Amino acid sequence: MLAPAMSVSNTSFFQCLTLKGEAETAALGRRIARLLRPGDTVTLTGPLGAGKTVFARGLIRTFLAGEDVPSPTFTLVQTYETERFPIWHVDLYRLKAASEVRELGLDEALERGVLLIEWPDRMGHALPADRLDVVIEGMDEEDDDEERIVKVIARGAWASRVGDLSDFRSGR
Ligand SMILES: Nc1ncnc2c1ncn2[C@@H]1O[C@H](COP(=O)(O)OP(=O)(O)OP(=O)(O)O)[C@@H](O)[C@H]1O
Ligand SMILES: [Mg+2]
């Protein structure tokens, strides 16, 4: 049986979307950018090459048009100053131990900025309970390898904020 496209509970709000090509993944990043406030955490989960950085680039360029947004694979953290808040784009793939997270100073990011985290599972239990989880799947579809299925799970305070994202393709 297919999972419902959307479901709501007291603590989380779940929706499932199809992304046809890189441009749509970036568009969803821009759609979610509109919701952000200082102190927010958005996690990006999915296998290598799923499109996590493409999503982050779309989101960051909403505030900084044309900005170069490299993957933070080697630097672990890239920070961006925007007019509204700083954005910390983090990639924890190369993190060796969850204890190394403290050295990255992410607590400071959460005081006034927005945290975008690729490979959040490397953080263990240190993730904020209020967060938006973006899970990108569907890469083994042989007939259309540009298509991704994305599950968006809004947790805690995010559950009542996120709303229906299915209009993301029309967003600017
Ligand atoms: N629907 C899609 N959404 C996003 N990227 C797509 C899509 N279809 C194809 N691609 C391609 O897949 C690649 C995704 O790369 P990206 O760096 O965003 O992955 P990633 O999830 O950040 O990987 P990593 O775990 O290595 O950081 C790009 O080369 C992009 O062009
Ligand atoms: Mg990446």
Side-chain angles (χ1 to χ4, degrees):
M1 201 178 91
L2 287 174
M6 212 183 288
S7 68
V8 189
S9 76
N10 287 339
T11 52
S12 68
F13 180 96
F14 168 90
Q15 48 198 305
C16 189
L17 303 163
T18 303
L19 305 171
K20 292 190 189 296
E22 183 173 345
E24 289 200 354
T25 304
L28 182 61
R30 290 196 298 276
R31 176 68 177 79
I32 287 173
R34 285 166 34 192
L35 303 171
L36 294 175
R37 301 176 193 155
D40 281 345
T41 297
V42 176
T43 74
L44 299 168
T45 297
L48 289 169
K52 302 180 292 297
T53 299
V54 166
F55 176 100
R57 196 170 286 133
L59 186 155
I60 291 163
R61 285 181 176 165
T62 305
F63 304 101
L64 300 169
E67 181 79 9
D68 183 30
V69 181
S71 172
T73 309
F74 295 101
T75 53
L76 298 192
V77 184
Q78 298 282 145
T79 56
Y80 301 87
E81 285 296 334
T82 79
E83 274 183 10
R84 294 192 43 215
F85 37 66
I87 301 175
W88 292 48
H89 180 196
V90 184
D91 184 335
L92 300 178
Y93 185 69
R94 301 177 74 84
L95 204 75
K96 289 181 193 70
S99 57
E100 286 178 34
V101 168
R102 238 172 288 130
E103 292 160 29
L104 298 176
L106 302 186
D107 293 347
E108 185 201 327
L110 283 177
E111 277 169 25
R112 57 187 196 97
V114 164
L115 203 48
L116 264 184
I117 312 176
E118 297 186 37
W119 297 98
D121 55 312
R122 303 290 199 271
M123 269 180 85
H125 297 291
L127 284 171
D130 292 336
R131 61 179 196 270
L132 191 70
D133 290 335
V134 176
V135 182
I136 307 175
E137 300 174 347
M139 289 181 62
D140 49 4
E141 293 287 330
E142 279 169 22
D143 51 344
D144 184 356
D145 63 6
E146 294 237 307
E147 184 167 307
R148 309 284 194 258
I149 306 297
V150 64
K151 292 175 179 163
V152 180
I153 307 136
R155 299 189 192 276
W158 264 98
S160 55
R161 276 173 65 185
V162 68
D164 181 1
L165 297 171
S166 62
D167 64 349
F168 74 95
R169 292 181 191 87
S170 58
R172 289 164 31 83

